[in-house]
Amino acid sequence: MDNVRVVKLEAEDLQIFKAIRLESLKMAPSAFANTFADWSSLSDKEWLDRMKIPVFAMLKGQLPVAIIGLLLQRGDRGSHRATMIMGY
């Protein structure tokens, strides 16, 4: 696919994160434990706190088309593993 890339979202990408996360909650509400109402009422600080886990977005041009978060595992045996969350 032309002009498609995966990027790790940083604090300056907050608006991209908000757009794709809220759209995913609207489009597939049964796929998530949280609701659109849960996330749409968050302050920017709360959004940024949720970006402390690694969050990646697939962009087509500048348009976010997919999102995934990684919950890093801890401990000696699991520190090289992560669980995918927020996938859409």
Coordinates of all heavy atoms in Angstrom, one line a residue:
M1 N 0.8 -1.2 0.0 CA 0.0 0.0 0.0 C 0.9 1.2 0.0 O 1.8 1.3 0.8 CB -0.9 0.0 1.2 CG -1.9 -1.2 1.2 SD -3.3 -1.2 2.4 CE -2.6 -0.6 3.9
D2 N 0.6 2.1 -0.9 CA 1.4 3.3 -1.0 C 1.1 4.3 0.1 O 0.0 4.4 0.6 CB 1.1 4.1 -2.3 CG 1.6 3.3 -3.5 OD1 2.5 2.5 -3.3 OD2 1.1 3.5 -4.6
N3 N 2.1 4.9 0.6 CA 2.0 6.0 1.6 C 1.4 5.5 2.9 O 0.7 6.3 3.6 CB 1.2 7.2 1.0 CG 1.6 8.5 1.7 OD1 2.6 8.6 2.3 ND2 0.7 9.4 1.5
V4 N 1.7 4.3 3.3 CA 1.2 3.7 4.6 C 2.4 3.5 5.4 O 3.4 2.9 5.0 CB 0.4 2.4 4.4 CG1 0.0 1.8 5.7 CG2 -0.9 2.7 3.6
R5 N 2.3 3.9 6.7 CA 3.4 3.7 7.6 C 2.9 3.5 9.0 O 1.8 3.9 9.4 CB 4.4 4.9 7.6 CG 3.8 6.2 7.9 CD 4.6 7.4 7.5 NE 3.9 8.6 7.6 CZ 3.8 9.4 8.6 NH1 4.5 9.1 9.7 NH2 3.1 10.5 8.6
V6 N 3.7 2.8 9.8 CA 3.4 2.6 11.3 C 4.3 3.5 12.1 O 5.5 3.4 11.9 CB 3.5 1.1 11.6 CG1 3.3 0.9 13.1 CG2 2.6 0.2 10.8
V7 N 3.7 4.2 13.0 CA 4.5 5.1 13.8 C 4.2 4.9 15.3 O 3.1 4.6 15.6 CB 4.3 6.6 13.4 CG1 4.7 6.9 12.0 CG2 2.9 7.0 13.6
K8 N 5.2 5.1 16.2 CA 4.9 5.1 17.6 C 4.5 6.5 18.0 O 5.1 7.5 17.6 CB 6.2 4.7 18.4 CG 6.0 4.7 19.9 CD 7.3 4.3 20.6 CE 7.1 4.2 22.1 NZ 6.8 5.5 22.7
L9 N 3.3 6.5 18.6 CA 2.8 7.8 18.9 C 3.4 8.4 20.2 O 3.7 7.7 21.2 CB 1.3 7.7 19.2 CG 0.4 7.2 18.0 CD1 -1.0 7.2 18.4 CD2 0.6 8.1 16.8
E10 N 3.7 9.7 20.1 CA 4.4 10.4 21.2 C 3.4 11.5 21.7 O 2.3 11.7 21.1 CB 5.7 11.1 20.7 CG 6.7 10.1 20.1 CD 7.2 9.1 21.1 OE1 7.1 9.3 22.4 OE2 7.8 8.1 20.7
A11 N 3.7 12.2 22.7 CA 2.8 13.2 23.3 C 2.3 14.2 22.2 O 1.2 14.6 22.2 CB 3.5 14.0 24.4
E12 N 3.2 14.6 21.3 CA 2.8 15.5 20.2 C 1.8 15.0 19.2 O 1.2 15.7 18.4 CB 4.0 16.1 19.5 CG 4.9 15.1 18.8 CD 6.0 14.5 19.6 OE1 6.1 14.7 20.9 OE2 6.9 13.9 19.0
D13 N 1.6 13.7 19.3 CA 0.6 13.0 18.4 C -0.7 12.8 19.1 O -1.5 11.9 18.7 CB 1.2 11.6 18.0 CG 2.5 11.7 17.3 OD1 2.6 12.6 16.4 OD2 3.4 11.0 17.6
L14 N -1.0 13.5 20.2 CA -2.2 13.3 21.0 C -3.5 13.4 20.1 O -4.4 12.5 20.3 CB -2.2 14.3 22.1 CG -3.5 14.3 23.0 CD1 -3.6 12.9 23.7 CD2 -3.5 15.4 24.0
Q15 N -3.5 14.3 19.2 CA -4.7 14.4 18.4 C -5.0 13.2 17.5 O -6.1 12.8 17.3 CB -4.7 15.7 17.6 CG -4.8 17.0 18.5 CD -5.9 17.0 19.5 OE1 -7.0 16.7 19.2 NE2 -5.6 17.3 20.7
I16 N -3.9 12.6 17.0 CA -4.0 11.4 16.2 C -4.5 10.3 17.1 O -5.4 9.6 16.7 CB -2.6 11.0 15.6 CG1 -2.2 12.1 14.6 CG2 -2.7 9.6 15.0 CD1 -0.8 11.9 14.1
F17 N -4.0 10.1 18.3 CA -4.4 9.1 19.2 C -5.9 9.3 19.5 O -6.7 8.3 19.5 CB -3.6 9.2 20.5 CG -3.9 8.1 21.5 CD1 -4.2 6.8 21.2 CD2 -4.0 8.5 22.8 CE1 -4.5 5.8 22.1 CE2 -4.3 7.5 23.8 CZ -4.6 6.2 23.4
K18 N -6.3 10.5 19.9 CA -7.7 10.8 20.2 C -8.6 10.4 19.0 O -9.6 9.7 19.2 CB -7.9 12.2 20.5 CG -7.5 12.6 21.9 CD -7.8 14.1 22.1 CE -7.8 14.5 23.5 NZ -8.2 15.9 23.7
A19 N -8.3 10.8 17.8 CA -9.1 10.6 16.6 C -9.3 9.1 16.4 O -10.5 8.7 16.2 CB -8.5 11.3 15.4
I20 N -8.3 8.3 16.3 CA -8.4 6.9 16.0 C -9.0 6.1 17.1 O -9.8 5.2 16.9 CB -7.0 6.3 15.5 CG1 -7.2 4.9 14.9 CG2 -6.0 6.3 16.6 CD1 -8.0 4.9 13.6
R21 N -8.7 6.5 18.4 CA -9.3 5.7 19.5 C -10.8 6.0 19.6 O -11.5 5.0 19.8 CB -8.6 6.1 20.8 CG -9.1 5.4 22.0 CD -8.8 4.0 22.0 NE -9.2 3.3 23.3 CZ -9.6 2.1 23.4 NH1 -9.6 1.3 22.3 NH2 -9.9 1.6 24.6
L22 N -11.2 7.2 19.5 CA -12.6 7.5 19.6 C -13.4 6.9 18.4 O -14.5 6.4 18.6 CB -12.8 9.0 19.7 CG -12.4 9.6 21.0 CD1 -12.5 11.2 21.0 CD2 -13.1 9.1 22.2
E23 N -12.8 7.0 17.2 CA -13.5 6.4 16.1 C -13.6 4.9 16.3 O -14.6 4.3 15.9 CB -12.7 6.6 14.8 CG -13.4 6.0 13.6 CD -12.7 6.3 12.3 OE1 -11.8 7.2 12.2 OE2 -13.0 5.6 11.3
S24 N -12.6 4.2 16.8 CA -12.6 2.8 17.0 C -13.7 2.4 18.0 O -14.4 1.4 17.8 CB -11.3 2.2 17.4 OG -10.9 2.7 18.7
L25 N -13.9 3.2 19.0 CA -14.9 2.9 20.0 C -16.3 3.2 19.5 O -17.3 2.5 19.9 CB -14.7 3.8 21.3 CG -13.5 3.5 22.1 CD1 -13.1 4.6 23.1 CD2 -13.7 2.2 22.8
K26 N -16.4 4.1 18.5 CA -17.7 4.3 17.8 C -18.1 3.2 16.9 O -19.2 2.7 16.8 CB -17.7 5.6 17.1 CG -18.0 6.8 17.9 CD -18.1 8.0 16.9 CE -17.7 9.3 17.5 NZ -17.7 10.4 16.5
M27 N -17.0 2.8 16.1 CA -17.3 1.8 15.0 C -17.4 0.4 15.5 O -18.1 -0.4 14.9 CB -16.1 1.9 14.0 CG -16.0 3.3 13.3 SD -17.3 3.7 12.3 CE -17.1 2.6 10.9
A28 N -16.8 0.0 16.6 CA -16.8 -1.4 17.0 C -16.9 -1.4 18.6 O -16.0 -1.9 19.3 CB -15.5 -2.1 16.6
P29 N -18.0 -0.9 19.1 CA -18.1 -0.8 20.6 C -18.0 -2.1 21.3 O -17.5 -2.2 22.4 CB -19.4 -0.1 20.8 CG -20.2 -0.3 19.5 CD -19.2 -0.4 18.4
S30 N -18.4 -3.2 20.7 CA -18.4 -4.5 21.4 C -17.0 -5.1 21.4 O -16.8 -6.1 22.1 CB -19.4 -5.4 20.7 OG -19.0 -5.7 19.4
A31 N -16.1 -4.5 20.7 CA -14.7 -5.0 20.7 C -13.9 -4.6 21.9 O -12.7 -5.0 22.0 CB -14.1 -4.7 19.4
F32 N -14.4 -3.6 22.7 CA -13.6 -3.0 23.7 C -14.2 -3.1 25.1 O -15.5 -3.1 25.2 CB -13.3 -1.5 23.4 CG -12.6 -1.4 22.0 CD1 -13.4 -1.0 20.9 CD2 -11.3 -1.5 21.9 CE1 -12.7 -0.9 19.7 CE2 -10.6 -1.3 20.7 CZ -11.3 -1.0 19.6
A33 N -13.4 -3.1 26.1 CA -14.0 -3.1 27.5 C -14.5 -1.7 27.9 O -15.4 -1.6 28.7 CB -12.9 -3.6 28.4
N34 N -13.9 -0.7 27.3 CA -14.3 0.7 27.6 C -15.3 1.2 26.5 O -15.4 0.6 25.4 CB -13.1 1.6 27.6 CG -12.1 1.3 28.7 OD1 -11.0 0.8 28.4 ND2 -12.5 1.4 30.0
T35 N -16.0 2.3 26.8 CA -16.9 2.8 25.9 C -16.5 4.2 25.3 O -15.5 4.8 25.9 CB -18.3 3.0 26.6 OG1 -18.1 4.0 27.6 CG2 -18.8 1.7 27.2
F36 N -17.1 4.6 24.3 CA -16.9 6.0 23.8 C -17.0 7.0 24.9 O -16.2 7.9 25.0 CB -17.8 6.3 22.6 CG -17.6 7.6 22.0 CD1 -16.7 7.9 21.0 CD2 -18.4 8.7 22.4 CE1 -16.5 9.1 20.5 CE2 -18.3 9.9 21.9 CZ -17.3 10.2 20.9
A37 N -18.1 6.9 25.7 CA -18.3 7.8 26.8 C -17.2 7.8 27.8 O -16.8 8.9 28.3 CB -19.7 7.5 27.4
D38 N -16.6 6.7 28.1 CA -15.5 6.6 29.0 C -14.3 7.4 28.5 O -13.7 8.2 29.3 CB -15.0 5.1 29.1 CG -16.0 4.2 29.8 OD1 -16.9 4.7 30.6 OD2 -15.9 3.0 29.5
W39 N -14.0 7.3 27.2 CA -12.8 8.0 26.7 C -13.1 9.4 26.3 O -12.2 10.3 26.4 CB -12.3 7.2 25.5 CG -11.5 6.0 26.0 CD1 -12.0 4.9 26.5 CD2 -10.1 5.8 25.9 NE1 -10.9 4.0 26.8 CE2 -9.8 4.6 26.4 CE3 -9.0 6.6 25.4 CZ2 -8.5 4.1 26.5 CZ3 -7.7 6.2 25.5 CH2 -7.5 4.9 26.1
S40 N -14.3 9.7 25.8 CA -14.5 11.1 25.3 C -14.6 12.1 26.4 O -14.4 13.3 26.1 CB -15.8 11.1 24.5 OG -16.9 10.8 25.3
S41 N -14.7 11.7 27.6 CA -14.8 12.6 28.7 C -13.4 12.8 29.4 O -13.3 13.6 30.3 CB -15.8 12.2 29.7 OG -15.4 10.9 30.3
L42 N -12.4 12.2 28.9 CA -11.1 12.3 29.5 C -10.4 13.7 29.2 O -10.6 14.2 28.2 CB -10.1 11.2 29.0 CG -10.5 9.8 29.2 CD1 -9.5 8.8 28.5 CD2 -10.5 9.5 30.7
S43 N -9.7 14.1 30.2 CA -8.9 15.4 30.0 C -7.6 15.0 29.2 O -7.3 13.8 29.0 CB -8.4 15.9 31.3 OG -7.5 15.0 31.9
D44 N -7.0 16.0 28.6 CA -5.8 15.7 27.8 C -4.7 15.1 28.7 O -4.0 14.2 28.2 CB -5.2 17.0 27.3 CG -5.9 17.5 26.0 OD1 -6.8 16.8 25.5 OD2 -5.6 18.6 25.5
K45 N -4.6 15.4 30.0 CA -3.7 14.8 30.9 C -4.0 13.3 31.0 O -3.0 12.5 30.9 CB -3.7 15.4 32.3 CG -2.7 14.8 33.2 CD -2.8 15.3 34.6 CE -1.8 14.7 35.6 NZ -1.6 13.2 35.5
E46 N -5.2 12.9 31.1 CA -5.6 11.5 31.2 C -5.3 10.8 29.9 O -4.8 9.6 29.9 CB -7.1 11.4 31.6 CG -7.4 11.8 33.0 CD -8.9 11.9 33.3 OE1 -9.6 12.6 32.5 OE2 -9.3 11.2 34.2
W47 N -5.5 11.4 28.8 CA -5.1 10.8 27.5 C -3.6 10.6 27.4 O -3.2 9.5 27.0 CB -5.5 11.7 26.3 CG -7.0 11.6 25.9 CD1 -8.0 12.4 26.4 CD2 -7.5 10.7 25.0 NE1 -9.2 12.0 25.8 CE2 -8.9 11.0 24.9 CE3 -7.0 9.7 24.2 CZ2 -9.8 10.3 24.1 CZ3 -7.8 9.0 23.3 CH2 -9.2 9.3 23.3
L48 N -2.9 11.6 27.8 CA -1.4 11.4 27.8 C -0.9 10.3 28.8 O 0.0 9.6 28.5 CB -0.7 12.8 28.2 CG -0.9 13.9 27.1 CD1 -0.4 15.2 27.6 CD2 -0.1 13.5 25.8
D49 N -1.6 10.2 29.9 CA -1.3 9.1 30.8 C -1.5 7.8 30.2 O -0.7 6.9 30.4 CB -2.1 9.2 32.1 CG -1.7 10.3 33.1 OD1 -0.5 10.8 32.9 OD2 -2.4 10.7 34.0
R50 N -2.5 7.7 29.4 CA -2.8 6.4 28.7 C -1.8 6.1 27.6 O -1.7 5.0 27.1 CB -4.2 6.4 28.2 CG -5.2 6.3 29.4 CD -6.6 6.4 29.1 NE -7.4 6.5 30.3 CZ -8.5 5.8 30.5 NH1 -8.9 4.9 29.6 NH2 -9.2 6.0 31.6
M51 N -1.1 7.1 27.1 CA -0.1 7.0 26.1 C 1.2 6.6 26.7 O 2.2 6.4 26.0 CB 0.1 8.2 25.3 CG -1.1 8.6 24.4 SD -0.9 10.1 23.5 CE 0.3 9.6 22.3
K52 N 1.3 6.3 28.0 CA 2.6 5.9 28.6 C 2.9 4.5 28.2 O 4.1 4.1 28.2 CB 2.5 6.1 30.1 CG 2.6 7.5 30.5 CD 2.5 7.7 32.0 CE 2.6 9.2 32.4 NZ 2.4 9.4 33.8
I53 N 1.9 3.7 27.9 CA 2.2 2.4 27.3 C 2.6 2.7 25.8 O 2.1 3.7 25.3 CB 1.1 1.4 27.4 CG1 -0.1 1.9 26.5 CG2 0.7 1.1 28.8 CD1 -1.1 0.8 26.2
P54 N 3.4 1.8 25.2 CA 3.6 2.1 23.8 C 2.3 2.0 22.9 O 1.6 1.0 23.0 CB 4.6 1.0 23.4 CG 5.2 0.5 24.7 CD 4.1 0.7 25.7
V55 N 2.0 3.0 22.2 CA 0.9 3.1 21.3 C 1.4 3.3 19.9 O 2.2 4.3 19.7 CB -0.1 4.1 21.7 CG1 -1.3 4.2 20.8 CG2 -0.6 3.9 23.1
F56 N 0.9 2.5 18.9 CA 1.3 2.7 17.5 C 0.1 2.9 16.7 O -1.0 2.4 17.0 CB 2.0 1.4 17.1 CG 3.3 1.1 17.8 CD1 3.3 0.4 19.0 CD2 4.5 1.5 17.3 CE1 4.4 0.1 19.7 CE2 5.7 1.3 18.0 CZ 5.7 0.5 19.2
A57 N 0.3 3.7 15.6 CA -0.8 3.9 14.7 C -0.3 3.6 13.3 O 0.9 3.9 13.0 CB -1.3 5.4 14.8
M58 N -1.2 3.1 12.5 CA -0.9 3.0 11.0 C -1.5 4.2 10.4 O -2.7 4.6 10.6 CB -1.6 1.8 10.4 CG -1.3 1.6 8.9 SD -2.2 0.2 8.2 CE -1.2 -1.1 8.8
L59 N -0.7 5.0 9.6 CA -1.2 6.2 9.0 C -1.1 5.9 7.5 O -0.2 5.4 6.9 CB -0.3 7.3 9.3 CG -0.1 7.7 10.8 CD1 0.9 8.8 11.0 CD2 -1.4 8.0 11.4
K60 N -2.2 6.4 6.8 CA -2.2 6.4 5.3 C -2.2 7.9 5.0 O -3.1 8.6 5.2 CB -3.5 5.7 4.8 CG -3.5 5.6 3.3 CD -4.6 4.8 2.8 CE -4.5 4.6 1.3 NZ -5.6 3.8 0.8
G61 N -1.0 8.3 4.6 CA -0.7 9.7 4.5 C -0.7 10.3 5.9 O 0.1 9.8 6.7
Q62 N -1.6 11.2 6.2 CA -1.7 11.7 7.6 C -2.9 11.2 8.3 O -3.2 11.5 9.5 CB -1.7 13.2 7.6 CG -0.4 13.9 7.1 CD 0.8 13.4 7.9 OE1 0.7 13.5 9.1 NE2 1.8 13.0 7.2
L63 N -3.7 10.3 7.6 CA -4.9 9.8 8.2 C -4.7 8.6 9.0 O -4.2 7.6 8.5 CB -5.9 9.5 7.0 CG -7.3 9.0 7.4 CD1 -8.1 10.0 8.2 CD2 -8.0 8.5 6.2
P64 N -5.1 8.6 10.3 CA -4.9 7.3 11.1 C -5.9 6.3 10.7 O -7.1 6.6 10.6 CB -5.1 7.8 12.5 CG -5.9 9.1 12.4 CD -5.6 9.7 11.1
V65 N -5.5 5.1 10.4 CA -6.4 4.0 10.0 C -6.4 2.8 10.9 O -7.3 1.9 10.7 CB -6.1 3.6 8.5 CG1 -6.4 4.7 7.5 CG2 -4.7 3.1 8.3
A66 N -5.5 2.7 11.8 CA -5.4 1.6 12.8 C -4.6 2.0 14.0 O -3.8 2.9 13.9 CB -4.8 0.4 12.1
I67 N -4.9 1.3 15.1 CA -4.2 1.6 16.3 C -3.9 0.3 17.1 O -4.7 -0.7 17.0 CB -5.0 2.6 17.2 CG1 -4.2 3.1 18.4 CG2 -6.3 1.9 17.6 CD1 -4.8 4.2 19.2
I68 N -2.8 0.3 17.8 CA -2.5 -0.9 18.7 C -1.7 -0.3 19.9 O -0.8 0.5 19.7 CB -1.8 -2.0 18.0 CG1 -1.7 -3.2 18.8 CG2 -0.4 -1.6 17.5 CD1 -1.3 -4.5 18.1
G69 N -2.0 -0.9 21.0 CA -1.2 -0.6 22.2 C -0.5 -1.8 22.7 O -1.0 -2.9 22.4
L70 N 0.6 -1.7 23.4 CA 1.3 -2.8 23.9 C 1.4 -2.7 25.4 O 2.0 -1.7 25.9 CB 2.7 -2.9 23.3 CG 2.7 -3.2 21.8 CD1 4.2 -3.2 21.3 CD2 2.1 -4.5 21.5
L71 N 0.9 -3.7 26.1 CA 1.1 -3.8 27.6 C 2.3 -4.6 27.8 O 2.2 -5.9 27.6 CB -0.2 -4.3 28.2 CG -0.2 -4.4 29.7 CD1 0.0 -3.0 30.3 CD2 -1.5 -5.0 30.2
L72 N 3.4 -4.0 28.2 CA 4.6 -4.8 28.4 C 4.6 -5.6 29.6 O 4.1 -5.2 30.7 CB 5.8 -3.8 28.5 CG 6.0 -2.8 27.4 CD1 7.1 -1.8 27.6 CD2 6.2 -3.6 26.1
Q73 N 5.0 -6.9 29.5 CA 5.0 -7.8 30.6 C 6.3 -7.6 31.5 O 7.3 -7.0 31.0 CB 4.9 -9.2 30.1 CG 3.6 -9.5 29.5 CD 3.5 -11.0 29.1 OE1 4.2 -11.9 29.5 NE2 2.5 -11.3 28.2
R74 N 6.2 -8.0 32.7 CA 7.3 -7.8 33.7 C 7.9 -9.1 34.1 O 7.3 -10.2 33.9 CB 6.8 -7.0 34.9 CG 6.3 -5.6 34.5 CD 5.7 -4.9 35.6 NE 5.1 -3.7 35.1 CZ 5.0 -2.6 35.9 NH1 5.4 -2.6 37.1 NH2 4.4 -1.6 35.4
G75 N 9.0 -9.0 34.8 CA 9.6 -10.2 35.4 C 10.6 -10.8 34.4 O 10.7 -10.4 33.2
D76 N 11.5 -11.6 35.0 CA 12.6 -12.2 34.2 C 12.2 -13.0 33.0 O 12.7 -12.9 31.9 CB 13.5 -13.0 35.1 CG 14.2 -12.2 36.1 OD1 14.4 -11.0 36.0 OD2 14.7 -12.8 37.1
R77 N 11.1 -13.7 33.2 CA 10.7 -14.6 32.1 C 9.8 -13.9 31.1 O 9.6 -14.4 29.9 CB 10.0 -15.8 32.7 CG 10.9 -16.7 33.4 CD 10.2 -18.0 33.8 NE 11.2 -18.8 34.4 CZ 11.0 -20.1 34.7 NH1 9.8 -20.7 34.4 NH2 11.9 -20.8 35.3
G78 N 9.2 -12.8 31.4 CA 8.2 -12.2 30.5 C 8.6 -10.9 30.0 O 7.9 -10.3 29.2
S79 N 9.8 -10.4 30.4 CA 10.2 -9.0 30.0 C 10.4 -8.8 28.5 O 10.4 -7.6 28.1 CB 11.4 -8.6 30.8 OG 12.5 -9.4 30.5
H80 N 10.5 -9.8 27.8 CA 10.6 -9.7 26.3 C 9.3 -9.8 25.6 O 9.2 -9.8 24.4 CB 11.6 -10.7 25.8 CG 11.1 -12.1 26.0 ND1 11.1 -12.8 27.2 CD2 10.6 -13.0 25.1 CE1 10.6 -14.0 27.1 NE2 10.3 -14.2 25.8
R81 N 8.2 -9.9 26.3 CA 6.8 -10.1 25.8 C 5.9 -8.9 26.0 O 6.2 -8.1 27.0 CB 6.2 -11.3 26.4 CG 6.9 -12.6 26.1 CD 6.2 -13.7 26.7 NE 7.0 -14.9 26.4 CZ 6.6 -16.1 26.8 NH1 5.5 -16.3 27.6 NH2 7.3 -17.2 26.6
A82 N 4.9 -8.8 25.2 CA 3.9 -7.7 25.4 C 2.5 -8.3 25.0 O 2.5 -9.3 24.2 CB 4.2 -6.5 24.6
T83 N 1.5 -7.8 25.6 CA 0.1 -8.1 25.2 C -0.4 -7.0 24.4 O -0.3 -5.8 24.7 CB -0.7 -8.3 26.5 OG1 -0.1 -9.4 27.2 CG2 -2.1 -8.7 26.1
M84 N -1.0 -7.3 23.2 CA -1.6 -6.3 22.4 C -3.0 -5.9 23.0 O -3.8 -6.7 23.3 CB -1.8 -6.8 21.0 CG -0.6 -7.1 20.3 SD -0.7 -7.6 18.5 CE -2.1 -8.6 18.4
I85 N -3.2 -4.5 23.1 CA -4.4 -4.0 23.5 C -4.9 -2.8 22.6 O -4.0 -2.4 21.8 CB -4.3 -3.5 25.0 CG1 -3.3 -2.4 25.2 CG2 -4.1 -4.7 25.9 CD1 -3.2 -1.8 26.5
M86 N -6.1 -2.4 22.7 CA -6.6 -1.3 21.9 C -6.5 -1.6 20.4 O -6.5 -0.6 19.7 CB -5.9 0.0 22.2 CG -6.3 0.7 23.4 SD -5.6 2.4 23.5 CE -3.9 2.1 23.8
G87 N -6.4 -2.8 20.0 CA -6.3 -3.0 18.5 C -7.5 -2.7 17.8 O -8.6 -3.0 18.2
Y88 N -7.4 -1.9 16.7 CA -8.5 -1.6 15.8 C -8.0 -1.5 14.4 O -7.0 -0.8 14.2 CB -9.3 -0.4 16.3 CG -10.4 0.0 15.3 CD1 -11.6 -0.7 15.3 CD2 -10.2 1.1 14.5 CE1 -12.6 -0.3 14.4 CE2 -11.3 1.5 13.6 CZ -12.4 0.8 13.6 OH -13.4 1.1 12.8

